[in-house]
Amino acid sequence: MIPGAPHRDALARPFRSLPARLCLLLVAACACSSAQVDVLTQHNDAARTGANLHETALTPRSVNQVGFGMLFKRALDDQLYTQPLVATGIQAGGGTRDIVYVTTVNNSVYAFDANDPEAAPPLWHVNFGTPADVHSADFGCLDINGNMGIIGTPVIDKAGGILYVVSLTRAGAAAGSGTGYTQRLHALDLATGADVPGSPVVISAPAFDPLRQNQRPGLMLANGMVYVGYASHCDKEPYHGFLMAYDTKTLTQVGVFNTSPTGSEASIWQSGQPPSVDPEGNIFVVTGNGSWDGISNFSESFLKLSPQLKLLDWFTPTNHFELDKGDTDLDSSGATLIPGTHLVLGGGKEGVLYTLDTRNLGHLGDEHALQHFRATASHLHSLVYWSSVKNGNLLYVWGQRDKAKVYKLQGNAVAETPLTERDIPNEGHPGAMLSLSANGDKDGILWAAIHATGDSWHESRPGVLYAYDADNIRHELWNSLQTPARDDCGRYSKMAPPTVANGRVYLASFGSENIGTGQFCVYGLLPPAGAASLAAPSAVTAAVAAKRLMLTWAPVQGALVYRVLRKSTLDPKAKTVAMGLTKPSYTEPAPERGESMSYSVVAVAADGRVSPVSGSATIASPKRKEMED
């Protein structure tokens, strides 16, 4: 096999060459569904607010120990450092599905059905080859304690049907040699996992070392480009902070920004958060320890870049040399833009939160910041912003070795006394990774993923997921260790925020061991006691055209997904041939050589309730002699 070439077990594209009549049937069958929420990038949006403002099923009233819990989980081939992404309404495997995409440090990308507990096998899985690992060089630490193939969260272009992801592969390299490693940018078809034409491309730039440069921040789509950022592994030199831009259509490299071109270091790691983008397409990143001269080298700084990666503006704190000397990176939270304003917020390992004006970052000196104050005791790794009808504009933080806190934004400043805080601080590194769900400005829930005990800096630790009332975080709604036999997701995935979409919470996990295992867990509402059963699907109809069978049925009230069962004269026992279908239609190759096939359908509710099996629709192909005549 060519090094870096993926192994594929993928489903073919559906609906090719369907006649117009069947396409119209499909459109009619799909018209009944309501809009669903996609999470196509880490921390939800280009501003990196971490909020889904279109969640109606999960509310402070419905999320509790009795009514909410784990629906299913999926085992993977290694650890996940990335946030699960969700794309809805994807045509794959003969029907329409909502898909959750996850990656592992073993250079694997998986696509799973996002809804159906019974749809256990992946829709597709690709692997890009042997990854580098912590022993590939003398890194000297265990920040990542095993393989390190895919570290940065991918990004999805749903309109284009593409997932972008970066792999790090080893080909012919001896352990510890530091040579023979390659990073590639892949553009994968959302439905099949296949590399699209022109993909992958090798990532390179002057002074770029593919082994030592850690593709830690999530990828970002903006301005017709995919942006790829870089940090280091364990500060092992030589390395620089890089941000590179690639044309989304051709994957041609169109820009490279080096944060320390005549020096060293100044990485962009941001605890896995991608760059943020303002409405004009300008890009904001924050850098860590390294060289600084205020001319071409910009460690410990907020940077504003043009879409083509030209430096437009910057801010560096007064104490940047002390931050560098103490390994107190400024960039541990990344940059969060506050919607509807010209504010950018961010903080680092010192726990100091900076508020800056995106129109004038001010260059060197704290006096140029709109505000700075110690918002948490030490490392600040995750910010979430929400505008509440009850409490106004809110900023959520839960730093290392500190309590969860909520600050109120007033005008161009953050009130320096917390509006609310929890009573008990967490232990150890790195603090919580936060997400928020709400129905606009109400029914907010703050979701916090964190280790349950100890310190996650150099080892895997047991994890816990919390849900708090976002208007009063002192009110805990639920946590995953209240009913551990049902809800425990295993070891904490360091710095991977939970993903909330369409009544589901998707949580990355390191699995059951310190290295080498991984999984993700899916939480949602549980069946209420005495809930009525779903009605069986009706009006099941089969038709054949252009050697394709089209199965349709009437939508079922309360159904989230459908399963299709098939039996035939050659295989008379009914088998499930499709699961997780979000539209009342399914297509596959038509029967041939005189075979007769019978299809039936089952509806499944969001809470897992299953309907009776529908009546069947039968279709038969002509016998061989009839076909010859």
Side-chain angles (χ1 to χ4, degrees):
M1 187 175 86
I2 298 172
H7 164 72
R8 299 187 179 92
D9 179 15
L11 296 170
R13 285 185 179 274
F15 309 130
R16 288 179 295 189
S17 304
L18 285 178
R21 183 173 63 86
L22 287 186
C23 289
L24 289 173
L25 272 175
L26 179 59
V27 171
C30 295
C32 59
S33 68
S34 58
Q36 292 287 85
V37 170
D38 299 311
V39 178
L40 308 177
T41 186
Q42 199 265 10
H43 245 191
N44 290 68
D45 52 43
R48 310 302 164 197
T49 65
N52 165 19
L53 303 182
H54 303 281
E55 179 56 55
T56 57
L58 303 180
T59 70
R61 296 171 298 282
S62 64
V63 174
N64 54 63
Q65 188 177 357
V66 174
F68 179 84
M70 189 188 298
L71 301 174
F72 58 93
K73 59 186 174 183
R74 303 286 182 249
L76 307 171
D77 63 10
D78 214 329
Q79 295 179 338
L80 298 81
Y81 276 82
T82 57
Q83 180 177 340
L85 301 178
V86 175
T88 62
I90 303 300
Q91 303 296 321
T96 306
R97 291 174 167 84
D98 299 341
I99 299 179
V100 55
Y101 298 89
V102 292
T103 69
T104 74
V105 292
N106 192 44
N107 272 334
S108 283
V109 184
Y110 293 85
F112 285 93
D113 185 89
N115 298 313
D116 195 332
E118 297 299 319
L123 294 166
W124 53 259
H125 165 215
V126 298
N127 183 268
F128 302 122
T130 304
D133 62 34
V134 70
H135 304 296
S136 296
D138 183 19
F139 288 116
C141 80
L142 295 172
D143 284 356
I144 295 171
N145 58 5
N147 287 327
M148 51 191 200
I150 298 174
I151 304 295
T153 300
V155 68
I156 292 174
D157 174 7
K158 187 178 178 184
I162 294 175
L163 178 145
Y164 297 92
V165 65
V166 171
S167 66
L168 167 57
T169 56
R170 180 173 66 193
S177 70
T179 61
Y181 297 89
T182 305
Q183 293 203 32
R184 292 179 174 89
L185 172 62
H186 294 263
L188 305 181
D189 186 289
L190 286 180
T192 68
D195 275 291
V196 304
S199 170
V201 294
V202 173
I203 292 175
S204 64
F208 178 84
D209 184 321
L211 177 58
R212 286 172 172 79
Q213 295 289 167
N214 179 9
Q215 205 290 288
R216 186 66 185 100
L219 274 60
M220 178 186 72
L221 281 175
N223 309 312
M225 289 176 270
V226 56
Y227 295 88
V228 183
Y230 281 94
S232 72
H233 292 289
C234 303
D235 286 330
K236 185 69 175 181
E237 294 197 48
Y239 75 89
H240 303 271
F242 281 100
L243 189 62
M244 305 184 191
Y246 291 83
D247 184 276
T248 55
K249 292 183 172 60
T250 65
L251 294 188
T252 301
Q253 188 184 83
V254 294
V256 175
F257 182 81
N258 184 337
T259 63
S260 55
T262 62
S264 64
E265 307 183 27
S267 70
I268 303 169
W269 66 281
Q270 304 190 156
S271 298
Q273 181 167 292
S276 55
V277 187
D278 69 15
E280 288 74 45
N282 300 309
I283 298 162
F284 294 82
V285 295
V286 191
T287 61
N289 306 321
S291 302
W292 186 93
D293 57 18
I295 301 170
S296 58
N297 301 301
F298 288 96
S299 67
E300 312 290 8
S301 300
F302 285 73
L303 304 178
K304 178 181 179 180
L305 306 172
S306 73
Q308 294 74 32
L309 300 183
K310 303 299 182 184
L311 182 63
L312 300 177
D313 201 359
W314 54 274
F315 166 81
T316 306
T318 301
N319 67 338
H320 65 97
F321 285 124
E322 286 75 18
L323 296 179
D324 176 59
K325 184 178 180 180
D327 188 29
T328 319
D329 304 69
L330 181 65
D331 68 339
S332 61
S333 80
T336 297
L337 298 171
I338 303 303
T341 75
H342 294 286
L343 302 181
V344 59
L345 279 64
K349 293 180 181 178
E350 194 181 30
V352 172
L353 179 71
Y354 287 86
T355 305
L356 306 172
D357 188 331
T358 60
R359 298 166 296 183
N360 181 17
L361 296 182
H363 294 188
L364 177 63
D366 288 349
E367 67 273 16
H368 299 298
L370 296 176
Q371 178 187 26
H372 68 289
F373 70 98
R374 189 175 298 278
T376 192
S378 58
H379 296 203
L380 202 168
H381 288 282
S382 184
L383 297 175
V384 159
Y385 168 79
W386 180 49
S387 182
S388 161
V389 68
K390 181 177 179 180
N391 290 312
N393 299 327
L394 304 175
L395 188 74
Y396 299 82
V397 304
W398 190 352
Q400 176 177 294
R401 298 184 179 92
D402 204 351
K403 308 168 187 176
K405 298 177 180 179
V406 184
Y407 291 93
K408 189 164 184 177
L409 277 74
Q410 299 173 320
N412 287 334
V414 179
E416 298 185 13
T417 300
L419 176 69
T420 317
E421 62 183 329
R422 300 279 301 170
D423 290 330
I424 302 174
N426 70 284
E427 302 176 31
H429 176 82
M433 300 307 292
L434 306 177
S435 295
L436 187 140
S437 62
N439 182 9
D441 57 8
K442 60 182 182 296
D443 287 339
I445 298 177
L446 180 69
W447 303 89
I450 194 170
H451 52 233
T453 61
D455 187 290
S456 299
W457 203 321
H458 298 304
E459 64 174 330
S460 301
R461 297 296 305 167
V464 57
L465 176 65
Y466 291 99
Y468 300 115
D469 184 333
D471 272 316
N472 177 16
I473 64 167
R474 296 181 65 82
H475 178 203
E476 181 180 318
L477 305 172
W478 170 90
N479 77 68
S480 60
L481 297 182
Q482 288 174 324
T483 311
R486 182 190 69 194
D487 296 338
D488 183 12
C489 194
R491 293 175 180 259
Y492 170 57
S493 175
K494 186 167 62 176
M495 300 177 185
T499 298
V500 190
N502 310 310
R504 297 280 198 265
V505 181
Y506 302 88
L507 180 67
S509 166
F510 281 176
S512 59
E513 304 296 333
N514 191 50
I515 62 171
T517 61
Q519 63 185 11
F520 74 94
C521 301
V522 183
Y523 298 89
L525 299 179
L526 302 173
S533 299
L534 298 183
S538 61
V540 181
T541 304
V544 172
K547 298 184 179 181
R548 298 289 296 179
L549 176 136
M550 170 65 77
L551 190 72
T552 60
W553 56 93
V556 175
Q557 185 175 2
L560 176 65
V561 295
Y562 302 94
R563 301 169 187 163
V564 175
L565 293 78
R566 180 186 67 206
K567 58 184 177 180
S568 72
T569 50
L570 299 180
D571 191 358
K573 185 177 180 180
K575 293 183 177 180
T576 302
V577 294
M579 291 180 284
L581 302 175
T582 58
K583 310 293 184 185
S585 62
Y586 172 70
T587 185
E588 68 174 18
E592 56 184 21
R593 300 181 182 178
E595 185 178 11
S596 174
M597 290 186 177
S598 180
Y599 296 85
S600 54
V601 183
V602 171
V604 185
D607 57 22
R609 288 174 293 141
V610 179
S611 78
V613 179
S614 73
S616 60
T618 301
I619 203 83
S621 71
K623 294 181 180 179
R624 180 182 292 275
K625 187 174 189 322
E626 293 172 350
M627 293 170 67
E628 292 171 351
D629 291 344

